[in-house]
Amino acid sequence: MEVPEATASGTVTPHRLARVHGDPLLGELFPSLATGVHWDVDRIRAFLYETGSPHLSYPSIHIGGTNGKGSVASTLSSVLGAAGHRVGLYTSPHLCAFRERFRVGGSTASDADLRSIVDDFGPAVDAHGLTFFEAATALAFHLFARAGIDIAVLEVGLGGRLDATNVVTPLVTAVTNVAMDHAEYLGDSLEAIAVEKAGIVKPGVPFLTAEDDPAVLSVFRRVTDDLGAPMTVVALAGDAELEIDEAHTEFSIATEAWGELRLNTPLVGRHQALNTVLAIRVLEALGAELRPTRVQVEEGVGGVRWPGRTQIEHLEGTTWLFDVAHNPAGIAALVEVLELLRLPGPHVILIGVLGDKDWRSMLPPLFQQVEAVVLTQPPSAPVARRWNPEQVLDEVGSVEVLVEIESDFEVALERAGALAGEGTVIVTGSNHTVGDALCTLGLEPHQCPE
């Protein structure tokens, strides 16, 4: 395909750029904790018990799944907040700053709040040998307890059964979907991964899922039947009258609690409509004391904010789309949105994928949507997990698009903008790539760390 000549309006001018930094708070709070996956909930259970069991001092909702769990969790938090509840929301990973993972009452935690808790419990963290993610999760539990929240919404970090968040006894559990990702930890089949995801199911606690694969649902039914947990499978109705544009997704849903609803979410895409439906069904499963009103549901769904998920911005004549798709299923959802929205061309991808992801399956569907590709290296990506763009280019072989490598991230942004001109740059591949781009372009969801 021919690539139109870049225009001046597509260039990201230097005054838009701010050097990407790592978050210094991470090194300050957890200078020597082990990273990576070290599954064992016994460590965090012992730590929490010794430090007052904060995770048991408030009710919770637990959300797992391969993709979309953060969207569901943020929607739940927004609606419950609109209902007047003080909500603690814990998600991971972050885009630009560590504190994004912790929200209380709709506001991101301050560095000072996080430092205070680490000052009090840091010695116990070290004594119990917590990993980084375990310590971050413990930090969330204590932060929420100190803040006096009414309810916590917790996103699973990885898997479910042995995830550090899986120490609560929630009011409701949900799994968005099951797709191939993290096979080295979760298993090399959907059924094996489903077993890990279903590890968050608790005896007698309602369980909901938006998964539709019969083999996966068979795993879920076996687990829920064994534990006496009521299971509900949710779907987007065929008569939902779906309307999608670059600013919102609108659809209809019939509910027992609120009758027929016409909902409008700022999250873009059919997959986000399904995520919202799952959140609504979770809310229906709550007791009367927490369940919002019809107006509160509509207000909360309309007010959800979850950056980096089909986020569209217009900068100096260029359209930018930011999406954290980092596995084949996520890329498929992104491609569906691109085909639907028909954003202005030419279309250019700026992509950086972690080396342990299935980029060989991710790239071909994207290449079919664009005229040019810039392969890059997000500066915040862990060194041990970085991909090799030269290897990628070698394996891509002959494709009908222009493919360039630019390892300097700021230069890569400028090049993608120049190639797109008055068209569209699609920034994707990982949270690191999207987060670094948002920070660099001055679009960070919260102030970038200095």
Side-chain angles (χ1 to χ4, degrees):
M1 298 181 184
E2 183 178 354
V3 182
E5 185 176 348
T7 63
S9 63
T11 301
V12 183
T13 54
H15 76 272
R16 296 281 318 168
L17 296 174
R19 175 65 59 183
V20 172
H21 297 282
D23 189 340
L25 185 65
L26 285 175
E28 178 184 338
L29 295 179
F30 308 122
S32 59
L33 298 188
T35 57
V37 178
H38 302 265
W39 274 352
D40 181 357
V41 293
D42 291 342
R43 287 187 300 270
I44 190 169
R45 283 188 190 278
F47 167 86
L48 291 170
Y49 178 79
E50 182 181 297
T51 58
S53 299
H55 60 303
L56 303 180
S57 64
Y58 40 77
S60 61
I61 299 171
H62 203 189
I63 308 296
T66 301
N67 294 317
K69 55 187 178 290
S71 296
V72 174
S74 60
T75 298
L76 287 168
S77 176
S78 183
V79 175
L80 290 167
H85 303 300
R86 188 166 173 79
V87 183
L89 174 63
Y90 178 55
T91 59
S92 63
H94 57 273
L95 289 173
C96 295
F98 178 63
R99 60 182 174 275
E100 293 170 28
R101 301 179 182 221
F102 316 89
R103 301 187 194 181
V104 175
S107 298
T108 303
S110 70
D111 288 359
D113 288 339
L114 299 180
R115 286 190 187 99
S116 176
I117 294 171
V118 172
D119 286 345
D120 289 343
F121 299 107
V125 167
D126 292 335
H128 286 275
L130 300 191
T131 65
F132 165 75
F133 184 73
E134 290 169 345
T137 304
L139 187 58
F141 288 139
H142 275 289
L143 175 72
F144 296 162
R146 285 191 179 181
I149 65 167
D150 300 316
I151 186 169
V153 180
L154 308 170
E155 178 190 0
V156 171
L158 177 64
R161 182 175 64 93
L162 295 174
D163 188 73
T165 61
N166 198 27
V167 292
V168 295
T169 303
L171 300 175
V172 185
T173 62
V175 169
T176 54
N177 48 59
V178 175
M180 292 304 299
D181 199 13
H182 300 293
E184 67 273 31
Y185 302 117
L186 303 180
D188 58 2
S189 69
L190 291 180
E191 292 87 345
I193 296 172
V195 170
E196 295 299 328
K197 303 288 187 189
I200 67 172
V201 177
K202 301 295 185 297
V205 174
F207 171 77
L208 298 93
T209 183
E211 179 57 64
D212 61 2
D213 184 285
V216 172
L217 291 177
S218 177
V219 172
F220 288 167
R221 290 193 187 282
R222 183 173 68 248
V223 173
T224 54
D225 286 349
D226 287 347
L227 295 176
M231 173 174 160
T232 302
V233 180
V234 310
L236 187 63
D239 58 353
E241 298 178 1
L242 198 64
E243 295 180 12
I244 300 173
D245 62 27
E246 67 174 63
H248 81 292
T249 302
E250 187 173 339
F251 65 96
S252 298
I253 177 175
T255 70
E256 292 185 7
W258 308 287
E260 185 79 14
L261 295 174
R262 185 69 180 169
L263 297 176
N264 189 324
T265 174
L267 304 179
V268 178
R270 184 186 185 281
H271 62 295
Q272 294 293 12
L274 182 56
N275 288 332
T276 305
V277 168
L278 180 56
I280 295 303
R281 299 306 187 201
V282 169
L283 291 164
E284 280 193 290
L286 295 177
E289 70 280 2
L290 288 170
R291 187 181 296 161
T293 66
R294 178 190 185 94
V295 171
Q296 290 164 345
V297 169
E298 294 170 341
E299 178 185 342
V301 168
V304 66
R305 186 164 180 258
W306 191 227
R309 281 74 182 175
T310 322
Q311 177 182 345
I312 298 175
E313 305 285 348
H314 300 281
L315 304 175
E316 301 176 2
T318 302
T319 299
W320 293 74
L321 186 154
F322 305 90
D323 193 274
V324 299
H326 58 276
N327 53 42
I331 292 296
L334 173 58
V335 167
E336 182 180 53
V337 170
L338 292 173
E339 292 176 341
L340 182 68
L341 293 184
R342 300 194 179 279
L343 298 170
H347 303 98
V348 178
I349 290 175
L350 175 72
I351 186 165
V353 184
L354 294 178
D356 53 9
K357 295 296 182 178
D358 186 10
W359 50 264
R360 292 174 180 83
S361 298
M362 294 166 60
L363 296 181
L366 283 175
F367 284 10
Q368 295 174 18
Q369 302 295 316
V370 302
E371 288 74 51
V373 177
V374 179
L375 306 175
T376 191
Q377 196 75 260
S380 68
V383 173
R385 298 182 66 195
R386 293 187 175 189
W387 74 341
N388 181 348
E390 297 286 351
Q391 177 193 3
V392 175
L393 188 57
D394 288 342
E395 294 199 25
V396 165
S398 176
V399 293
E400 295 183 3
V401 296
L402 172 67
V403 182
E404 298 182 356
I405 295 175
E406 181 48 71
S407 296
D408 185 295
F409 194 74
E410 288 188 11
V411 175
L413 281 170
E414 291 180 325
R415 179 58 177 159
L419 286 169
E422 296 182 358
T424 301
V425 179
I426 299 133
V427 181
T428 191
S430 73
N431 280 68
H432 296 284
T433 306
V434 170
D436 290 346
L438 291 174
C439 246
T440 303
L441 295 170
L443 298 171
E444 65 276 8
H446 309 282
Q447 183 179 1
C448 277
E450 294 298 331

